[in-house]
Amino acid sequence: MSIKIKGKIVMAVALVGGLAAGTLAASGENAVPANDQEVERTRQQIKMLDDVFKTAVVLIDETYVKKPSDPSAASAAKALFAAMKKNGWYDVRLIGLTDKVGDPDDEPKDAFEKTAAKKLRAGGDKVYEEVLEKDGKRYLRMATGIPVVSENCVMCHAHFKGDKGNIGALSYTVPVVK
């Protein structure tokens, strides 16, 4: 592997790691108490998953996506997300935050994702979260912002060239770790 490629990978991993470690923003009625250790363990798990996924997407993009007809790194990520959900681990979705979402499946689907999309797109927040209870079980919902991180992004999404904000997000629903 050339020094140039290694340098790009190191820069991409540093950028993605920084994004995954962003400031958390809790919502009103579902705000997370600061001393909730179960939620904090789950939050750390999601941060790790976020770092792994975003690093993998950047590495796939840098290594394999050379022209618009190549399968996108986002397609690979969506296949991985589907496998994790099918195996019962958790649910994670790629969502678009702008008015130019190419795949209808990437539209924010529920109130959490719609609120997260507004807050993450508006800037400032890198992460949006809330806790919900369903069927007697608690879940941490977390959305983490995705900015344009490489020239390959704009190869297929030219309308994002020069956009410095979050254009997408990963939306997680993970059972709270007891």
Side-chain angles (χ1 to χ4, degrees):
M1 185 179 305
S2 75
I3 301 252
K4 184 177 178 183
I5 291 174
K6 284 182 186 176
K8 283 183 176 183
I9 290 171
V10 168
M11 292 288 286
V13 170
L15 173 65
V16 169
L19 293 172
T23 305
L24 300 176
S27 66
E29 69 184 55
N30 296 322
V32 181
N35 61 352
D36 190 328
Q37 295 303 308
E38 292 177 351
V39 170
E40 182 55 33
R41 281 191 295 275
T42 308
R43 183 181 291 125
Q44 293 305 313
Q45 182 183 53
I46 294 173
K47 285 181 179 181
M48 183 269 306
L49 291 169
D50 199 58
D51 197 20
V52 167
F53 291 145
K54 289 177 179 173
T55 299
V57 166
V58 169
L59 293 174
I60 291 167
D61 184 66
E62 290 285 332
T63 306
Y64 300 107
V65 181
K66 303 300 179 195
K67 56 189 181 298
S69 60
D70 289 339
S72 70
S75 297
K78 286 178 170 184
L80 178 60
F81 301 160
M84 294 298 104
K85 183 175 182 176
K86 180 181 175 191
N87 289 330
W89 289 107
Y90 49 82
D91 188 16
V92 60
R93 289 181 3 91
L94 176 64
I95 60 172
L97 304 184
T98 71
D99 58 353
K100 297 186 192 280
V101 178
D103 183 345
D105 288 339
D106 297 344
E107 293 280 345
K109 298 288 186 207
D110 59 19
F112 169 81
E113 289 183 350
K114 290 174 184 175
T115 300
K118 286 178 189 167
K119 289 184 176 284
L120 293 172
R121 182 66 180 155
D125 293 336
K126 293 182 178 148
V127 176
Y128 177 77
E129 70 175 32
E130 67 182 39
V131 174
L132 72 90
E133 189 168 324
K134 182 178 177 185
D135 300 326
K137 190 168 187 171
R138 290 193 319 155
Y139 295 85
L140 179 58
R141 304 255 350 241
M142 184 182 286
T144 63
I146 303 171
V148 173
V149 295
S150 80
E151 285 299 313
N152 278 2
C153 297
V154 296
M155 178 171 51
C156 296
H157 305 286
H159 52 281
F160 292 132
K161 188 168 184 77
D163 193 319
K164 301 295 182 199
N166 291 313
I167 55 138
L170 293 183
S171 175
Y172 296 87
T173 303
V174 177
V176 170
V177 178
K178 295 195 181 242

mmCIF file of all heavy atoms in Angstrom, residues 13-65:
data_model
loop_
_atom_site.group_PDB
_atom_site.id
_atom_site.type_symbol
_atom_site.label_atom_id
_atom_site.label_comp_id
_atom_site.label_asym_id
_atom_site.label_seq_id
_atom_site.Cartn_x
_atom_site.Cartn_y
_atom_site.Cartn_z
ATOM 1 N N VAL A 13 -9.756 7.965 8.985
ATOM 2 C CA VAL A 13 -10.046 7.339 10.270
ATOM 3 C C VAL A 13 -10.073 8.396 11.375
ATOM 4 O O VAL A 13 -10.949 8.390 12.241
ATOM 5 C CB VAL A 13 -9.032 6.214 10.585
ATOM 6 C CG1 VAL A 13 -9.175 5.728 12.014
ATOM 7 C CG2 VAL A 13 -9.224 5.057 9.615
ATOM 8 N N ALA A 14 -9.143 9.343 11.335
ATOM 9 C CA ALA A 14 -9.123 10.417 12.334
ATOM 10 C C ALA A 14 -10.391 11.258 12.240
ATOM 11 O O ALA A 14 -11.004 11.597 13.254
ATOM 12 C CB ALA A 14 -7.883 11.285 12.153
ATOM 13 N N LEU A 15 -10.812 11.601 11.028
ATOM 14 C CA LEU A 15 -12.022 12.388 10.842
ATOM 15 C C LEU A 15 -13.239 11.625 11.344
ATOM 16 O O LEU A 15 -14.053 12.153 12.091
ATOM 17 C CB LEU A 15 -12.215 12.745 9.365
ATOM 18 C CG LEU A 15 -13.536 13.433 9.015
ATOM 19 C CD1 LEU A 15 -13.623 14.795 9.681
ATOM 20 C CD2 LEU A 15 -13.690 13.558 7.521
ATOM 21 N N VAL A 16 -13.356 10.379 10.964
ATOM 22 C CA VAL A 16 -14.505 9.579 11.362
ATOM 23 C C VAL A 16 -14.509 9.368 12.877
ATOM 24 O O VAL A 16 -15.543 9.474 13.521
ATOM 25 C CB VAL A 16 -14.516 8.227 10.612
ATOM 26 C CG1 VAL A 16 -15.537 7.283 11.199
ATOM 27 C CG2 VAL A 16 -14.791 8.461 9.141
ATOM 28 N N GLY A 17 -13.363 9.102 13.462
ATOM 29 C CA GLY A 17 -13.281 8.943 14.907
ATOM 30 C C GLY A 17 -13.713 10.197 15.629
ATOM 31 O O GLY A 17 -14.420 10.149 16.634
ATOM 32 N N GLY A 18 -13.329 11.332 15.109
ATOM 33 C CA GLY A 18 -13.738 12.604 15.699
ATOM 34 C C GLY A 18 -15.236 12.802 15.598
ATOM 35 O O GLY A 18 -15.872 13.301 16.522
ATOM 36 N N LEU A 19 -15.829 12.390 14.493
ATOM 37 C CA LEU A 19 -17.272 12.507 14.336
ATOM 38 C C LEU A 19 -17.997 11.598 15.324
ATOM 39 O O LEU A 19 -19.005 11.970 15.902
ATOM 40 C CB LEU A 19 -17.692 12.134 12.913
ATOM 41 C CG LEU A 19 -17.228 13.078 11.823
ATOM 42 C CD1 LEU A 19 -17.551 12.476 10.454
ATOM 43 C CD2 LEU A 19 -17.869 14.430 11.960
ATOM 44 N N ALA A 20 -17.489 10.404 15.509
ATOM 45 C CA ALA A 20 -18.139 9.449 16.400
ATOM 46 C C ALA A 20 -18.060 9.886 17.849
ATOM 47 O O ALA A 20 -18.889 9.500 18.659
ATOM 48 C CB ALA A 20 -17.509 8.060 16.242
ATOM 49 N N ALA A 21 -17.089 10.706 18.197
ATOM 50 C CA ALA A 21 -16.923 11.141 19.579
ATOM 51 C C ALA A 21 -17.574 12.487 19.845
ATOM 52 O O ALA A 21 -17.302 13.126 20.835
ATOM 53 C CB ALA A 21 -15.425 11.214 19.901
ATOM 54 N N GLY A 22 -18.477 12.922 18.959
ATOM 55 C CA GLY A 22 -19.084 14.249 19.054
ATOM 56 C C GLY A 22 -19.926 14.464 20.298
ATOM 57 O O GLY A 22 -20.226 13.550 21.055
ATOM 58 N N THR A 23 -20.342 15.692 20.502
ATOM 59 C CA THR A 23 -21.166 16.090 21.632
ATOM 60 C C THR A 23 -22.564 15.521 21.485
ATOM 61 O O THR A 23 -23.129 15.504 20.411
ATOM 62 C CB THR A 23 -21.243 17.624 21.679
ATOM 63 O OG1 THR A 23 -19.928 18.126 21.709
ATOM 64 C CG2 THR A 23 -22.025 18.097 22.879
ATOM 65 N N LEU A 24 -23.142 15.086 22.599
ATOM 66 C CA LEU A 24 -24.465 14.495 22.584
ATOM 67 C C LEU A 24 -25.526 15.542 22.883
ATOM 68 O O LEU A 24 -25.325 16.424 23.695
ATOM 69 C CB LEU A 24 -24.558 13.369 23.619
ATOM 70 C CG LEU A 24 -23.577 12.226 23.396
ATOM 71 C CD1 LEU A 24 -23.696 11.222 24.522
ATOM 72 C CD2 LEU A 24 -23.829 11.554 22.074
ATOM 73 N N ALA A 25 -26.657 15.419 22.237
ATOM 74 C CA ALA A 25 -27.780 16.318 22.481
ATOM 75 C C ALA A 25 -29.001 15.474 22.805
ATOM 76 O O ALA A 25 -29.420 14.658 21.997
ATOM 77 C CB ALA A 25 -28.049 17.172 21.252
ATOM 78 N N ALA A 26 -29.562 15.635 23.986
ATOM 79 C CA ALA A 26 -30.723 14.851 24.382
ATOM 80 C C ALA A 26 -31.993 15.642 24.124
ATOM 81 O O ALA A 26 -31.974 16.863 24.116
ATOM 82 C CB ALA A 26 -30.626 14.489 25.866
ATOM 83 N N SER A 27 -33.102 14.929 23.924
ATOM 84 C CA SER A 27 -34.365 15.607 23.671
ATOM 85 C C SER A 27 -35.150 15.759 24.958
ATOM 86 O O SER A 27 -34.942 15.031 25.914
ATOM 87 C CB SER A 27 -35.159 14.827 22.630
ATOM 88 O OG SER A 27 -35.531 13.578 23.154
ATOM 89 N N GLY A 28 -36.097 16.675 24.962
ATOM 90 C CA GLY A 28 -36.908 17.062 26.105
ATOM 91 C C GLY A 28 -37.436 15.943 26.974
ATOM 92 O O GLY A 28 -36.800 15.531 27.934
ATOM 93 N N GLU A 29 -38.625 15.410 26.647
ATOM 94 C CA GLU A 29 -39.255 14.443 27.538
ATOM 95 C C GLU A 29 -38.510 13.116 27.597
ATOM 96 O O GLU A 29 -38.661 12.358 28.539
ATOM 97 C CB GLU A 29 -40.708 14.215 27.149
ATOM 98 C CG GLU A 29 -40.889 13.481 25.828
ATOM 99 C CD GLU A 29 -42.335 13.366 25.435
ATOM 100 O OE1 GLU A 29 -43.008 14.404 25.361
ATOM 101 O OE2 GLU A 29 -42.803 12.232 25.230
ATOM 102 N N ASN A 30 -37.704 12.821 26.612
ATOM 103 C CA ASN A 30 -36.947 11.574 26.600
ATOM 104 C C ASN A 30 -35.470 11.800 26.915
ATOM 105 O O ASN A 30 -34.634 10.983 26.572
ATOM 106 C CB ASN A 30 -37.092 10.881 25.238
ATOM 107 C CG ASN A 30 -38.517 10.469 24.964
ATOM 108 O OD1 ASN A 30 -39.222 10.046 25.862
ATOM 109 N ND2 ASN A 30 -38.961 10.627 23.738
ATOM 110 N N ALA A 31 -35.158 12.934 27.571
ATOM 111 C CA ALA A 31 -33.777 13.251 27.911
ATOM 112 C C ALA A 31 -33.215 12.158 28.815
ATOM 113 O O ALA A 31 -33.920 11.557 29.620
ATOM 114 C CB ALA A 31 -33.702 14.599 28.600
ATOM 115 N N VAL A 32 -31.949 11.893 28.671
ATOM 116 C CA VAL A 32 -31.284 10.840 29.421
ATOM 117 C C VAL A 32 -30.660 11.433 30.679
ATOM 118 O O VAL A 32 -29.876 12.377 30.596
ATOM 119 C CB VAL A 32 -30.179 10.185 28.558
ATOM 120 C CG1 VAL A 32 -29.507 9.072 29.325
ATOM 121 C CG2 VAL A 32 -30.765 9.673 27.256
ATOM 122 N N PRO A 33 -31.005 10.901 31.873
ATOM 123 C CA PRO A 33 -30.361 11.395 33.092
ATOM 124 C C PRO A 33 -28.849 11.177 33.015
ATOM 125 O O PRO A 33 -28.382 10.155 32.506
ATOM 126 C CB PRO A 33 -30.963 10.526 34.201
ATOM 127 C CG PRO A 33 -32.201 9.922 33.617
ATOM 128 C CD PRO A 33 -31.974 9.855 32.137
ATOM 129 N N ALA A 34 -28.091 12.138 33.495
ATOM 130 C CA ALA A 34 -26.632 12.084 33.405
ATOM 131 C C ALA A 34 -26.050 10.870 34.123
ATOM 132 O O ALA A 34 -24.996 10.381 33.750
ATOM 133 C CB ALA A 34 -26.036 13.369 33.975
ATOM 134 N N ASN A 35 -26.713 10.363 35.151
ATOM 135 C CA ASN A 35 -26.153 9.256 35.939
ATOM 136 C C ASN A 35 -26.717 7.886 35.565
ATOM 137 O O ASN A 35 -26.585 6.937 36.319
ATOM 138 C CB ASN A 35 -26.373 9.531 37.429
ATOM 139 C CG ASN A 35 -27.857 9.634 37.775
ATOM 140 O OD1 ASN A 35 -28.707 9.644 36.891
ATOM 141 N ND2 ASN A 35 -28.155 9.708 39.057
ATOM 142 N N ASP A 36 -27.328 7.753 34.420
ATOM 143 C CA ASP A 36 -27.897 6.472 33.981
ATOM 144 C C ASP A 36 -26.780 5.632 33.360
ATOM 145 O O ASP A 36 -26.445 5.779 32.185
ATOM 146 C CB ASP A 36 -29.031 6.721 32.979
ATOM 147 C CG ASP A 36 -29.824 5.453 32.659
ATOM 148 O OD1 ASP A 36 -29.231 4.344 32.663
ATOM 149 O OD2 ASP A 36 -31.038 5.583 32.392
ATOM 150 N N GLN A 37 -26.205 4.746 34.170
ATOM 151 C CA GLN A 37 -25.047 3.955 33.736
ATOM 152 C C GLN A 37 -25.390 2.961 32.632
ATOM 153 O O GLN A 37 -24.555 2.670 31.779
ATOM 154 C CB GLN A 37 -24.411 3.233 34.930
ATOM 155 C CG GLN A 37 -23.811 4.189 35.950
ATOM 156 C CD GLN A 37 -22.770 5.095 35.335
ATOM 157 O OE1 GLN A 37 -21.839 4.641 34.674
ATOM 158 N NE2 GLN A 37 -22.932 6.403 35.510
ATOM 159 N N GLU A 38 -26.607 2.431 32.638
ATOM 160 C CA GLU A 38 -27.006 1.505 31.576
ATOM 161 C C GLU A 38 -27.033 2.218 30.224
ATOM 162 O O GLU A 38 -26.534 1.698 29.226
ATOM 163 C CB GLU A 38 -28.370 0.887 31.884
ATOM 164 C CG GLU A 38 -28.342 -0.049 33.077
ATOM 165 C CD GLU A 38 -29.712 -0.608 33.435
ATOM 166 O OE1 GLU A 38 -30.728 -0.150 32.864
ATOM 167 O OE2 GLU A 38 -29.769 -1.513 34.283
ATOM 168 N N VAL A 39 -27.586 3.406 30.206
ATOM 169 C CA VAL A 39 -27.626 4.182 28.963
ATOM 170 C C VAL A 39 -26.215 4.582 28.554
ATOM 171 O O VAL A 39 -25.871 4.537 27.369
ATOM 172 C CB VAL A 39 -28.553 5.412 29.099
ATOM 173 C CG1 VAL A 39 -28.415 6.348 27.901
ATOM 174 C CG2 VAL A 39 -30.003 4.959 29.262
ATOM 175 N N GLU A 40 -25.376 4.934 29.518
ATOM 176 C CA GLU A 40 -23.994 5.317 29.190
ATOM 177 C C GLU A 40 -23.244 4.137 28.563
ATOM 178 O O GLU A 40 -22.502 4.311 27.598
ATOM 179 C CB GLU A 40 -23.241 5.825 30.418
ATOM 180 C CG GLU A 40 -21.822 6.278 30.132
ATOM 181 C CD GLU A 40 -21.704 7.346 29.035
ATOM 182 O OE1 GLU A 40 -22.600 8.191 28.885
ATOM 183 O OE2 GLU A 40 -20.686 7.307 28.306
ATOM 184 N N ARG A 41 -23.430 2.917 29.066
ATOM 185 C CA ARG A 41 -22.800 1.738 28.453
ATOM 186 C C ARG A 41 -23.293 1.550 27.020
ATOM 187 O O ARG A 41 -22.510 1.253 26.115
ATOM 188 C CB ARG A 41 -23.091 0.476 29.278
ATOM 189 C CG ARG A 41 -22.241 0.316 30.510
ATOM 190 C CD ARG A 41 -22.380 -1.076 31.123
ATOM 191 N NE ARG A 41 -23.711 -1.351 31.635
ATOM 192 C CZ ARG A 41 -24.143 -1.017 32.851
ATOM 193 N NH1 ARG A 41 -23.340 -0.387 33.680
ATOM 194 N NH2 ARG A 41 -25.363 -1.331 33.236
ATOM 195 N N THR A 42 -24.594 1.732 26.823
ATOM 196 C CA THR A 42 -25.168 1.586 25.482
ATOM 197 C C THR A 42 -24.640 2.680 24.565
ATOM 198 O O THR A 42 -24.326 2.422 23.400
ATOM 199 C CB THR A 42 -26.702 1.623 25.559
ATOM 200 O OG1 THR A 42 -27.134 0.675 26.542
ATOM 201 C CG2 THR A 42 -27.330 1.282 24.217
ATOM 202 N N ARG A 43 -24.531 3.903 25.073
ATOM 203 C CA ARG A 43 -23.993 5.017 24.292
ATOM 204 C C ARG A 43 -22.570 4.702 23.820
ATOM 205 O O ARG A 43 -22.225 4.933 22.657
ATOM 206 C CB ARG A 43 -23.993 6.290 25.144
ATOM 207 C CG ARG A 43 -23.534 7.522 24.411
ATOM 208 C CD ARG A 43 -23.536 8.761 25.313
ATOM 209 N NE ARG A 43 -24.905 9.140 25.650
ATOM 210 C CZ ARG A 43 -25.357 9.285 26.893
ATOM 211 N NH1 ARG A 43 -24.549 9.077 27.938
ATOM 212 N NH2 ARG A 43 -26.601 9.638 27.114
ATOM 213 N N GLN A 44 -21.759 4.151 24.696
ATOM 214 C CA GLN A 44 -20.385 3.791 24.325
ATOM 215 C C GLN A 44 -20.385 2.691 23.259
ATOM 216 O O GLN A 44 -19.562 2.710 22.336
ATOM 217 C CB GLN A 44 -19.581 3.363 25.550
ATOM 218 C CG GLN A 44 -19.315 4.487 26.539
ATOM 219 C CD GLN A 44 -18.649 5.679 25.884
ATOM 220 O OE1 GLN A 44 -17.686 5.555 25.142
ATOM 221 N NE2 GLN A 44 -19.189 6.867 26.145
ATOM 222 N N GLN A 45 -21.301 1.747 23.366
ATOM 223 C CA GLN A 45 -21.414 0.688 22.359
ATOM 224 C C GLN A 45 -21.767 1.293 21.002
ATOM 225 O O GLN A 45 -21.176 0.927 19.975
ATOM 226 C CB GLN A 45 -22.475 -0.324 22.796
ATOM 227 C CG GLN A 45 -22.642 -1.482 21.840
ATOM 228 C CD GLN A 45 -23.751 -2.418 22.281
ATOM 229 O OE1 GLN A 45 -24.880 -1.983 22.517
ATOM 230 N NE2 GLN A 45 -23.431 -3.699 22.398
ATOM 231 N N ILE A 46 -22.709 2.222 20.980
ATOM 232 C CA ILE A 46 -23.101 2.851 19.712
ATOM 233 C C ILE A 46 -21.945 3.671 19.148
ATOM 234 O O ILE A 46 -21.698 3.649 17.938
ATOM 235 C CB ILE A 46 -24.370 3.704 19.878
ATOM 236 C CG1 ILE A 46 -25.565 2.806 20.204
ATOM 237 C CG2 ILE A 46 -24.636 4.526 18.612
ATOM 238 C CD1 ILE A 46 -26.847 3.571 20.556
ATOM 239 N N LYS A 47 -21.213 4.374 19.995
ATOM 240 C CA LYS A 47 -20.057 5.147 19.513
ATOM 241 C C LYS A 47 -19.039 4.222 18.845
ATOM 242 O O LYS A 47 -18.476 4.566 17.812
ATOM 243 C CB LYS A 47 -19.393 5.905 20.659
ATOM 244 C CG LYS A 47 -20.158 7.119 21.108
ATOM 245 C CD LYS A 47 -19.381 7.805 22.239
ATOM 246 C CE LYS A 47 -20.050 9.040 22.740
ATOM 247 N NZ LYS A 47 -19.261 9.677 23.803
ATOM 248 N N MET A 48 -18.812 3.051 19.437
ATOM 249 C CA MET A 48 -17.885 2.088 18.847
ATOM 250 C C MET A 48 -18.410 1.598 17.498
ATOM 251 O O MET A 48 -17.680 1.567 16.508
ATOM 252 C CB MET A 48 -17.666 0.908 19.797
ATOM 253 C CG MET A 48 -16.664 -0.131 19.312
ATOM 254 S SD MET A 48 -17.354 -1.509 18.341
ATOM 255 C CE MET A 48 -18.609 -2.151 19.402
ATOM 256 N N LEU A 49 -19.695 1.227 17.439
ATOM 257 C CA LEU A 49 -20.289 0.787 16.177
ATOM 258 C C LEU A 49 -20.203 1.887 15.125
ATOM 259 O O LEU A 49 -19.865 1.632 13.962
ATOM 260 C CB LEU A 49 -21.754 0.391 16.381
ATOM 261 C CG LEU A 49 -22.014 -0.868 17.189
ATOM 262 C CD1 LEU A 49 -23.495 -0.989 17.533
ATOM 263 C CD2 LEU A 49 -21.528 -2.100 16.438
ATOM 264 N N ASP A 50 -20.498 3.109 15.522
ATOM 265 C CA ASP A 50 -20.456 4.243 14.612
ATOM 266 C C ASP A 50 -19.057 4.428 14.045
ATOM 267 O O ASP A 50 -18.873 4.648 12.847
ATOM 268 C CB ASP A 50 -20.915 5.496 15.363
ATOM 269 C CG ASP A 50 -21.339 6.609 14.443
ATOM 270 O OD1 ASP A 50 -22.259 6.407 13.632
ATOM 271 O OD2 ASP A 50 -20.744 7.705 14.545
ATOM 272 N N ASP A 51 -18.066 4.328 14.894
ATOM 273 C CA ASP A 51 -16.677 4.465 14.455
ATOM 274 C C ASP A 51 -16.304 3.346 13.478
ATOM 275 O O ASP A 51 -15.709 3.595 12.430
ATOM 276 C CB ASP A 51 -15.752 4.447 15.674
ATOM 277 C CG ASP A 51 -14.369 4.989 15.393
ATOM 278 O OD1 ASP A 51 -14.179 5.713 14.406
ATOM 279 O OD2 ASP A 51 -13.459 4.675 16.179
ATOM 280 N N VAL A 52 -16.705 2.113 13.795
ATOM 281 C CA VAL A 52 -16.416 0.976 12.914
ATOM 282 C C VAL A 52 -17.097 1.159 11.560
ATOM 283 O O VAL A 52 -16.459 1.024 10.500
ATOM 284 C CB VAL A 52 -16.859 -0.364 13.562
ATOM 285 C CG1 VAL A 52 -16.851 -1.505 12.551
ATOM 286 C CG2 VAL A 52 -15.966 -0.706 14.746
ATOM 287 N N PHE A 53 -18.385 1.474 11.566
ATOM 288 C CA PHE A 53 -19.121 1.612 10.308
ATOM 289 C C PHE A 53 -18.582 2.745 9.449
ATOM 290 O O PHE A 53 -18.371 2.576 8.244
ATOM 291 C CB PHE A 53 -20.611 1.828 10.554
ATOM 292 C CG PHE A 53 -21.318 0.633 11.112
ATOM 293 C CD1 PHE A 53 -22.351 0.791 12.015
ATOM 294 C CD2 PHE A 53 -20.977 -0.658 10.740
ATOM 295 C CE1 PHE A 53 -23.020 -0.300 12.537
ATOM 296 C CE2 PHE A 53 -21.631 -1.759 11.250
ATOM 297 C CZ PHE A 53 -22.660 -1.576 12.155
ATOM 298 N N LYS A 54 -18.376 3.896 10.050
ATOM 299 C CA LYS A 54 -17.915 5.044 9.265
ATOM 300 C C LYS A 54 -16.495 4.834 8.758
ATOM 301 O O LYS A 54 -16.178 5.214 7.625
ATOM 302 C CB LYS A 54 -18.049 6.331 10.067
ATOM 303 C CG LYS A 54 -19.507 6.728 10.228
ATOM 304 C CD LYS A 54 -19.680 7.960 11.078
ATOM 305 C CE LYS A 54 -21.152 8.330 11.192
ATOM 306 N NZ LYS A 54 -21.364 9.437 12.144
ATOM 307 N N THR A 55 -15.651 4.195 9.555
ATOM 308 C CA THR A 55 -14.294 3.889 9.095
ATOM 309 C C THR A 55 -14.356 2.902 7.930
ATOM 310 O O THR A 55 -13.665 3.081 6.922
ATOM 311 C CB THR A 55 -13.445 3.321 10.247
ATOM 312 O OG1 THR A 55 -13.360 4.298 11.289
ATOM 313 C CG2 THR A 55 -12.051 2.966 9.782
ATOM 314 N N ALA A 56 -15.193 1.876 8.039
ATOM 315 C CA ALA A 56 -15.320 0.891 6.967
ATOM 316 C C ALA A 56 -15.815 1.542 5.678
ATOM 317 O O ALA A 56 -15.286 1.268 4.594
ATOM 318 C CB ALA A 56 -16.267 -0.234 7.385
ATOM 319 N N VAL A 57 -16.798 2.429 5.783
ATOM 320 C CA VAL A 57 -17.327 3.099 4.595
ATOM 321 C C VAL A 57 -16.242 3.931 3.926
ATOM 322 O O VAL A 57 -16.074 3.896 2.705
ATOM 323 C CB VAL A 57 -18.568 3.954 4.944
ATOM 324 C CG1 VAL A 57 -18.915 4.912 3.820
ATOM 325 C CG2 VAL A 57 -19.752 3.049 5.254
ATOM 326 N N VAL A 58 -15.480 4.669 4.722
ATOM 327 C CA VAL A 58 -14.405 5.495 4.154
ATOM 328 C C VAL A 58 -13.352 4.615 3.487
ATOM 329 O O VAL A 58 -12.891 4.904 2.382
ATOM 330 C CB VAL A 58 -13.778 6.414 5.226
ATOM 331 C CG1 VAL A 58 -12.504 7.060 4.729
ATOM 332 C CG2 VAL A 58 -14.780 7.483 5.654
ATOM 333 N N LEU A 59 -12.976 3.520 4.133
ATOM 334 C CA LEU A 59 -11.967 2.626 3.556
ATOM 335 C C LEU A 59 -12.471 1.960 2.275
ATOM 336 O O LEU A 59 -11.721 1.842 1.298
ATOM 337 C CB LEU A 59 -11.535 1.573 4.577
ATOM 338 C CG LEU A 59 -10.774 2.117 5.783
ATOM 339 C CD1 LEU A 59 -10.537 1.011 6.802
ATOM 340 C CD2 LEU A 59 -9.471 2.750 5.362
ATOM 341 N N ILE A 60 -13.725 1.518 2.263
ATOM 342 C CA ILE A 60 -14.303 0.936 1.043
ATOM 343 C C ILE A 60 -14.316 1.978 -0.063
ATOM 344 O O ILE A 60 -13.909 1.717 -1.193
ATOM 345 C CB ILE A 60 -15.730 0.398 1.307
ATOM 346 C CG1 ILE A 60 -15.679 -0.835 2.210
ATOM 347 C CG2 ILE A 60 -16.458 0.084 -0.005
ATOM 348 C CD1 ILE A 60 -17.024 -1.242 2.783
ATOM 349 N N ASP A 61 -14.753 3.179 0.278
ATOM 350 C CA ASP A 61 -14.823 4.264 -0.696
ATOM 351 C C ASP A 61 -13.445 4.574 -1.275
ATOM 352 O O ASP A 61 -13.272 4.650 -2.483
ATOM 353 C CB ASP A 61 -15.414 5.506 -0.017
ATOM 354 C CG ASP A 61 -15.602 6.650 -0.980
ATOM 355 O OD1 ASP A 61 -16.436 6.523 -1.884
ATOM 356 O OD2 ASP A 61 -14.902 7.665 -0.824
ATOM 357 N N GLU A 62 -12.450 4.723 -0.418
ATOM 358 C CA GLU A 62 -11.098 5.072 -0.865
ATOM 359 C C GLU A 62 -10.453 3.949 -1.679
ATOM 360 O O GLU A 62 -9.694 4.213 -2.599
ATOM 361 C CB GLU A 62 -10.202 5.395 0.337
ATOM 362 C CG GLU A 62 -10.547 6.676 1.038
ATOM 363 C CD GLU A 62 -10.109 7.903 0.271
ATOM 364 O OE1 GLU A 62 -9.125 7.837 -0.485
ATOM 365 O OE2 GLU A 62 -10.772 8.947 0.419
ATOM 366 N N THR A 63 -10.763 2.712 -1.325
ATOM 367 C CA THR A 63 -10.090 1.575 -1.942
ATOM 368 C C THR A 63 -10.782 1.065 -3.206
ATOM 369 O O THR A 63 -10.107 0.702 -4.168
ATOM 370 C CB THR A 63 -9.975 0.418 -0.922
ATOM 371 O OG1 THR A 63 -9.342 0.914 0.260
ATOM 372 C CG2 THR A 63 -9.165 -0.734 -1.476
ATOM 373 N N TYR A 64 -12.119 1.046 -3.211
ATOM 374 C CA TYR A 64 -12.829 0.354 -4.279
ATOM 375 C C TYR A 64 -13.683 1.221 -5.191
ATOM 376 O O TYR A 64 -14.034 0.791 -6.282
ATOM 377 C CB TYR A 64 -13.714 -0.745 -3.681
ATOM 378 C CG TYR A 64 -12.922 -1.767 -2.919
ATOM 379 C CD1 TYR A 64 -12.961 -1.805 -1.528
ATOM 380 C CD2 TYR A 64 -12.100 -2.676 -3.566
ATOM 381 C CE1 TYR A 64 -12.217 -2.731 -0.815
ATOM 382 C CE2 TYR A 64 -11.347 -3.606 -2.864
ATOM 383 C CZ TYR A 64 -11.417 -3.625 -1.489
ATOM 384 O OH TYR A 64 -10.679 -4.529 -0.795
ATOM 385 N N VAL A 65 -14.079 2.395 -4.762
ATOM 386 C CA VAL A 65 -14.963 3.226 -5.575
ATOM 387 C C VAL A 65 -14.102 4.174 -6.408
ATOM 388 O O VAL A 65 -13.511 5.114 -5.894
ATOM 389 C CB VAL A 65 -15.969 4.006 -4.703
ATOM 390 C CG1 VAL A 65 -16.901 4.846 -5.575
ATOM 391 C CG2 VAL A 65 -16.767 3.050 -3.823
#
